[in-house]
Amino acid sequence: MEGRHHVFSVDLLERYATKGRGAITCMATGNDVIVLGTNKGWVIRHDFGVGDSYDIDLSVGRPGEQSIHKVFVDPGGSHCIATVIGSSGADTYYTHAKWTKPRILSKLKGLVVNAVAWNRLHITEASTREIILGTDNGQLYEMAVDVKDKMEKYIKLLFELKELPEAFTGLQMETASVHIGTRFYVMAVTPTRLYSFTGIGSLDAIFASYVDRTVHFMELPGEIPNSELHFFIQQKRAVHFAWLSGAGIYHGDLKFGALHSSPNGDENFVENKALLDYSKFSEGVEGVKPSSLAMSEFHFLLLIGNTVKVVNRISEQVVEELYFDQTPDAVSRGIIGICSDASAGLFYAYDQNSIFQVSVNDEGRDMWKVYLDLKEYAAALASCRDALQRDQVYLVQAEAAFVAKEFLRAASFYAKINYVLSFEEISLKFISIGEQDALRTFLLRKLDNLSKDEKCQITMISTWATELYLDKINRLLLEDDGALDSNNTEYQSLIKEFRAFLSDCKDVLDEATTMKLLESYGRVDELVFFASLKEQYEIVLHHYVQQGEAKKALQVLQKPNVPTELQYKFAPDLIMLDAYETVESWMTTKSLNPRKLIPAMMRYSSEPHAKNETHEVIKYLEYCVHRLQNEDPGIHNLLLSLYAKKEDESALLRFLECKFGKGQPGGPEFFYDPKYALRLCLKEKRMRACVHIYSMMSMHEEAVALALQVDPELAMAEADKVEDDEDLRKKLWLMIAKHVIEQEKGTKRENIRKAIAFLKETDGLLKIEDILPFFPDFALIDDFKEAICSSLEDYNEQIEKLKQEMNDATRGADNIRNDISALAQRYTVIDRDEECGVCRRKILNVGGDYRMTTSYMVVGPMAPFYVFPCGHAFHAQCLIAHVTRCTNHAQAEYILDLQKQLTLLGVEPKNVSNGGLCEEPLVSVTPMHKIRSQLDDAVASDCPFCGDLMIREISLPFILPEEAEESESWEIKPHNHPSQRSLSLAV
């Protein structure tokens, strides 16, 4: 038995199910609907889904006794076909679940229908679609019924057995949609043969094609009470078939869509065919052959006598026997047949008056054991329900491989076991027989099966596997001295595998332990590899430097996560190993600080280099200074020092002449230390460079003095650089002149001639008298006659020019004096009706109010006033008031203060006559005149209507803040009276 609990159980569904309509002769089920046929011509339909039942009498109008031969119901339980046989022959009827009266199929009159194939995928409650009927005389018919028409659409003959006319006893059909239409698969059985038909298109066309081609069939001779054909349906698709034949149960898998061509050209959709011999469950004696068959997913239900034997389809063993509680009157006839309801997953057995239900309870629960006993391990694993069952399958596989001494294969299976065998037990099995390779394989597979949460166990196993790898590598080296050769594939593949393992397990291996292991086994390359994986780049770099492999070290340093400090630490060693590659690497690394590389560059620069060899440090420093625009004084000083040591001074001079800070406003022109540069150039005797540095430091005398030692032309150029200090420039040229005169060693007359030519180069800065002291005392004056005469002529021209300038100045002074005298006589004519620009009253006819001012001269009855060249005239008081009001506060205070001072003086001007002017001389200056002059400047410097005051008033508002109240009084405010209505007009 398959377990403690039975998989199949029998229950009495209904006793006396025919309701007195006779004994049951046949039964069919579908979708919880059971249709019974009786020996009195009645068809009884029980719908257990809705709890309804009704019966139809097919013997009406037929003489004699009538019996239902077969009933058929579709998988949905809606369509029913029944054949009734009586003394008058056979008739076949169609009825629908919603019909009360059956429809006789007249075209089938006289034909006994033994089998019906339904179109499962396309049948609906309203239409049967294509149906195939198999008859007792070896014919196949096609019919279709649309319920709304109340009759069949057509009935036509499809096929007829002519070679061996036998009755069709079983029929099944399956369809599949393909890109060019619908493919039909039809299987039909007779007592001795199983026929297969397939094709694309209509059934009529498919069967017509078999006129020209051979019908595919399987023949199994032998006698059988009932030859039956059954499909097992899973998710509306047939997956297994079984034929109850005389030789046994012929069964197999159905693979629709995955077609294979058979030798005779037909597509074969049957796989894994097998024949179950009846002797396997008849206990060694020739037993009674089954009278009926039903099939589940893994079992056959065989009706033998009054017992149903359940046979496992895989193991071909009887696993259960089912017995039925029959009434005494039905025992003699026994169980008539069994049938299945695919949609409900139930089986039924029936005798002449009772219906029994056979239920299935998890029939696949022990299938893993069945497959395991048959050593079908893949199927066993697929059937396992939990990890414990899978462990048992893996254990059997592992033990089998272990016994067969396939230790690596056994290790793979052992690694999948989690419960039935401990890790230690499995490890000891391999250790005890010295199978290190298998043990390593076991550990590696175990690692693959562990979850990420088991960190401790993962680390332990990974470390153990590392040691086993190292031991294996050492054993290979000991066994074969040539293992290190590249031709040794086993050694090379093992190293490759080991490195892949280290790479995969880098995050779970303990860093210190692993490195000690690698070091103890002397695996330096693998130690470096693992250190690189763990980002211990210092160890890697040390190794490459010791090996002299600068390129590999530089490749490590180029990795993005390498600390920059390692660049500086290993720079001295790397630049000595390969200066070119090191400098190229520096130039491609963006985050470097060149200042920290100075020790490495100093070390390289201290070594001797060939004359034509490219100085890599100079190349890098030039890159920093020109491309990176580095401003570090240390970098500039180092580059300058390297230039100074070169024989060719041109590069040094170009560097000194560069203005590196010119891009920065207010920045320095250079970043090196000029004192250090001067000291270095003096030491290296780079005189031209020293001249340049002196000049740059504004030490022009030193620059010229040094330049004279190198090249007088250079000294002249330096002297010309001084432009803002004429005395210094003259002094520098005198130094040059002295040097030139003292250096000349020709005849005296030639020396003088050269000296005179030198004077011309100074553009008149030096005269002959400036250089005369540099000549010897005994030089004859005749030699300088020409130069002296030329100089005297120049002086004479300058004297004449100065006289001319003095005469021009005297004439200018006279003109100014005359203008001043004319100012005293200036006047203007005022019209008698001229108005004041402020008060709008007449200037020349004013009342006594304006005569109170004592600070101005009063002309007759007129008040003081101002007249401007533009023609505007103002009373003095009006002008003061206007300017005070319009100017700023400080200026207004100043004007008022001056006016107050004049008032306080209180002195009335003397000798004033009507219409006359003051007789005091213009040149006399009293305090009042001084204050009055200041007041005139303050208020009458320009016309208030035409000058700056009016221009400034443009920005003032029309209404001043103090006039806000006055402006508000002019606002027009609406007054709404109760009698008025306000209308809003739409714009």
Side-chain angles (χ1 to χ4, degrees), residues 499 515 518 523-537 539-544 547 549 556 559:
R499 290 195 175 194
M515 286 191 172
L518 293 167
R523 301 306 303 173
V524 178
D525 290 342
E526 281 67 42
L527 175 63
V528 171
F529 177 77
F530 184 70
S532 179
L533 291 174
K534 298 298 288 184
E535 298 184 358
Q536 292 292 338
Y537 297 113
I539 296 173
V540 179
L541 291 168
H542 268 301
H543 170 74
Y544 286 139
Q547 297 295 318
E549 297 178 335
V556 173
K559 293 183 178 180

Side-chain angles (χ1 to χ4, degrees), residues 8-11 301 322 324 345-349 356-360:
F8 294 86
S9 58
V10 177
D11 296 295
L301 282 71
L322 307 179
F324 304 92
L346 294 172
F347 300 91
Y348 299 94
F356 301 92
Q357 179 176 297
V358 179
S359 303
V360 185

Side-chain angles (χ1 to χ4, degrees), residues 802-821:
L802 286 173
K803 284 181 179 179
Q804 183 67 33
E805 289 177 356
M806 289 175 63
N807 292 332
D808 292 341
T810 302
R811 284 194 295 273
D814 292 341
N815 292 333
I816 292 170
R817 201 175 289 112
N818 294 332
D819 290 342
I820 292 172
S821 299

Side-chain angles (χ1 to χ4, degrees), residues 869-887:
C870 60
H872 290 116
F874 302 91
H875 292 123
Q877 285 296 97
C878 294
L879 180 63
I880 291 169
H882 177 74
V883 172
T884 304
R885 184 173 66 254
C886 295
T887 191

Side-chain angles (χ1 to χ4, degrees), residues 135 138-142 155-160 204 207:
T135 64
Q139 292 179 333
L140 295 178
Y141 287 86
E142 178 189 359
I155 298 178
K156 52 189 173 185
L157 178 65
L158 288 177
F159 183 77
E160 184 175 5
D204 196 12
F207 279 94

Side-chain angles (χ1 to χ4, degrees), residues 904-959:
L904 289 175
L905 285 174
V907 179
E908 184 75 23
K910 296 178 181 180
N911 301 322
V912 177
S913 59
N914 188 18
L917 297 174
C918 178
E919 295 179 359
E920 290 182 7
L922 289 172
V923 293
S924 65
V925 179
T926 65
M928 180 177 291
H929 282 110
K930 184 177 180 181
I931 294 172
R932 185 185 300 161
S933 177
Q934 292 175 355
L935 183 61
D936 288 343
D937 291 340
V939 299
S941 58
D942 59 0
C943 176
F945 286 179
C946 302
D948 293 339
L949 191 66
M950 179 57 71
I951 294 172
R952 287 198 299 269
E953 284 186 352
I954 293 174
S955 61
L956 296 176
F958 286 112
I959 300 172

Side-chain angles (χ1 to χ4, degrees), residues 791-809 811:
S791 179
L792 290 174
E793 288 175 359
D794 289 341
Y795 281 127
N796 193 36
E797 289 178 2
Q798 290 180 17
I799 290 169
E800 291 298 324
K801 188 177 180 181
L802 286 173
K803 284 181 179 179
Q804 183 67 33
E805 289 177 356
M806 289 175 63
N807 292 332
D808 292 341
R811 284 194 295 273

